Amino acid sequence: MAVESRVSAERIQDQKPRDQFKSQLGFIFAAAGSAVGLGNIWRFPYMTGTNGGGAFVLLYLICVLFVGASLLLVEFAIGRNGKTNAIESYAKIRKGAKWIGFLGFFSAFIFLSYYSVVSGWTVYYSIQSFFGLNGLAPDQIGNFFGAFISDPVKPLMYHGIFMALTVGIIIKGVSQGIEKSTKIMMPMLFVLLIILVIRALTLPGAWEGIKWYLTPDLSKITGGVWIAALGQVFFSMSVGMSGMVTYASYLGKHENLPKTSIIVALMDTSVALLAGLIIFPAVFSFGLEPGAGPGLVFITLPAVFAQMPLGSIFSFMFFVLLAIACLTSSISILEMPVSYLIETRKMARTKAALLVGAIAYVMGIAVSFSFGIWSDFTLFGKGIFDLFDYFGSNISLPLGGLAAAILVGWFWGEKDAVAEISNNGEIKGTIVKAWFPVVKYVVPVTVVLIFLSNLGILKL
């Protein structure tokens, strides 16, 4: 008996308490950082440019309000209720729901592999703002970009640098790594955004860009634009991949989840809108094309900076801003599978972070090569990068969001779900009352529409 007691005591002593966010502000910065990323500063502007300007912005804001914020609260509720990794958190509501977490686990590797490659481009562009981009004409910058991404070595170097930064933060843990870093990076991000917005708005002819960007042309609203706006909400707000479930699992029971979800949604949306206020006034000022697609940030915008007084400084600031946004998102993606390996597979945090980071890096090699030496290789009619992006944006995220909404709305039940978000009735208000019907009925219908449209089944 004495031996058994000693062994039990040793086990208890060896168990470390689960790491948590130390403050609500820390969680808000981390969650907002998870949402803010390439989706806001790279994808949102070019989606706006190719989908009618102000009309797309209006629909996007509506979708954020009714779908994005609601799904944020869904993932927050699941995570805080579970108090464990995302896979086990889903299982605490319904045993058969583990597959939703495993979908997020698998998707994390897909997302991280190509996300890190593109993020590496932002690091490279930050450096080249002072050397390789200054004074180049638009067609020369296009050639510069094409030569870089098709190079078999250079992109992998920057892919590795970015992945190392991500892994390094995760190794330090939740409070000392994620919380501390996002408390520094998120204020930096907003400061850089505001400086760049002020500069863009003072350019000659900037007002034409503002009008095009913020004045909705209702004639351009179509079913396809609605679907594009809904899809952008998923990509931009990091819902559907269980990253927010993981983050919320590190929260205490006293936090105000409805208030936090609104703040995070507003911060995320603000970054997207401010990014547009940097890009479109500048693009119109120099007479360039706002509908340039994915090349808007890496080709069109550098061409604007190249012609602007002190352009190299503003170019550097912009790509540092973009790199920070990428990093705050990538750490949330990495934390999701790492938390599972730590808690379920009993793996040390350092080992888990290095393992996931290494796998994602190796997968990213194939993604990077798809722009160069493997550009002719296709699967299901798509290159590796396009295939990964299609799976993540068009299948994984909508499916994960749909499954989470159905789990909460139809299986968890109103009583338990509302008790979780209201702290057992302590928090009241319109959001608490309206949230559950929206999750149960509105969100599933809208997400199904996205899903069917992305698969080509529904033509709008």
Side-chain angles (χ1 to χ4, degrees):
M1 289 294 291
V3 174
E4 289 179 3
S5 298
R6 188 171 67 252
V7 170
S8 297
E10 288 173 353
R11 284 177 179 171
I12 293 171
Q13 192 175 6
D14 287 342
Q15 288 177 349
K16 294 181 180 179
R18 195 169 189 265
D19 202 356
Q20 283 192 316
F21 288 104
K22 301 301 182 186
S23 66
Q24 185 179 25
L25 181 64
F27 173 74
I28 288 172
F29 277 150
S34 174
V36 171
L38 285 174
N40 304 73
I41 304 173
W42 176 49
R43 199 173 191 269
F44 176 79
Y46 85 68
M47 290 295 289
T48 301
T50 54
N51 284 281
F56 177 85
V57 174
L58 174 63
L59 300 188
Y60 176 77
L61 293 175
I62 294 171
C63 293
V64 167
L65 180 64
F66 289 102
V67 179
S70 297
L71 276 175
L72 268 179
L73 192 47
V74 164
E75 295 205 359
F76 287 168
I78 293 171
R80 192 178 68 171
N81 174 75
K83 302 298 291 181
T84 184
N85 63 82
I87 294 169
E88 299 300 327
S89 290
Y90 287 113
K92 284 194 175 183
I93 296 175
R94 188 175 178 83
K95 284 186 177 180
K98 274 190 175 184
W99 71 269
I100 307 172
F102 279 115
L103 174 64
F105 182 91
F106 174 71
S107 300
F109 289 94
I110 299 291
F111 267 103
L112 199 56
S113 63
Y114 80 82
Y115 202 94
S116 182
V117 169
V118 178
S119 300
W121 299 350
T122 70
V123 177
Y124 178 70
Y125 262 62
S126 300
I127 298 169
Q128 291 301 314
S129 294
F130 288 107
F131 304 105
L133 299 175
N134 199 19
L136 295 182
D139 59 333
Q140 292 175 309
I141 291 178
N143 294 333
F144 175 90
F145 179 63
F148 168 65
I149 64 173
S150 61
D151 189 288
V153 178
K154 277 186 183 178
L156 296 183
M157 291 169 53
Y158 291 94
H159 167 43
I161 291 169
F162 185 84
M163 186 63 74
L165 290 171
T166 305
V167 170
I169 291 172
I170 292 300
I171 286 174
K172 292 183 178 180
V174 177
S175 58
Q176 296 301 308
I178 297 171
E179 184 171 358
K180 273 193 172 182
S181 63
T182 51
K183 275 186 172 181
I184 296 169
M185 289 190 288
M186 289 306 292
M188 281 179 60
L189 184 144
F190 275 99
V191 168
L192 289 171
L193 269 173
I194 292 168
I195 292 171
L196 288 166
V197 167
I198 292 171
R199 181 65 188 101
L201 296 182
T202 57
L203 290 170
W207 181 244
E208 291 303 314
I210 297 170
K211 285 196 296 183
W212 181 87
Y213 176 47
L214 295 180
T215 305
D217 181 353
L218 299 183
S219 67
K220 293 185 178 180
I221 295 178
T222 65
V225 176
W226 269 109
I227 294 298
L230 281 164
Q232 175 60 27
V233 167
F234 276 87
F235 195 97
S236 176
M237 297 187 73
S238 290
V239 289
M241 194 168 50
S242 301
M244 294 299 190
V245 175
T246 304
Y247 272 10
S249 74
Y250 300 122
L251 271 180
K253 285 292 186 182
H254 62 282
E255 303 293 351
N256 188 321
L257 294 184
K259 179 182 176 181
T260 301
S261 67
I262 293 298
I263 293 173
V264 171
L266 285 174
M267 288 179 71
D268 177 75
T269 305
S270 297
V271 171
L273 293 176
L274 288 170
L277 283 176
I278 295 169
I279 292 170
F280 294 113
V283 166
F284 272 79
S285 176
F286 287 89
L288 299 175
E289 176 55 52
L296 187 63
V297 164
F298 289 104
I299 298 173
T300 306
L301 195 58
V304 170
F305 288 132
Q307 300 172 59
M308 189 186 295
L310 301 177
S312 59
I313 295 174
F314 290 106
S315 177
F316 172 75
M317 291 172 64
F318 178 81
F319 285 106
V320 167
L321 160 73
L322 187 52
I324 290 171
C326 292
L327 188 56
T328 58
S329 288
S330 66
I331 58 177
S332 74
I333 300 172
L334 183 60
E335 178 64 18
M336 191 271 167
V338 165
S339 66
Y340 173 75
L341 294 175
I342 292 170
E343 295 173 356
T344 306
R345 301 301 176 187
K346 308 304 178 187
M347 195 177 288
R349 174 170 283 273
T350 299
K351 183 178 179 181
L354 289 171
L355 176 63
V356 175
I359 294 172
Y361 179 80
V362 171
M363 292 173 66
I365 294 173
V367 173
S368 186
F369 283 174
S370 70
F371 294 99
I373 58 176
W374 289 359
S375 59
D376 293 332
F377 176 81
T378 60
L379 196 61
F380 305 112
K382 298 180 183 295
I384 298 171
F385 176 87
D386 291 332
L387 183 66
F388 281 19
D389 182 50
Y390 181 85
F391 171 80
S393 304
N394 299 331
I395 297 177
S396 173
L397 291 183
L399 182 58
L402 175 63
I406 291 174
L407 178 68
V408 169
W410 294 90
F411 292 97
W412 199 4
E414 185 171 6
K415 180 181 177 181
D416 291 335
V418 171
E420 180 62 43
I421 70 161
S422 67
N423 295 355
N424 290 315
E426 290 181 10
I427 301 169
K428 302 183 185 299
T430 305
I431 294 174
V432 173
K433 291 180 181 178
W435 172 72
F436 190 81
V438 170
V439 170
K440 187 171 184 177
Y441 300 109
V442 177
V443 173
V445 170
T446 55
V447 176
V448 166
L449 288 175
I450 300 174
F451 199 59
L452 294 178
S453 174
N454 288 339
L455 293 176
I457 298 172
L458 181 67
K459 300 291 184 181
L460 295 173

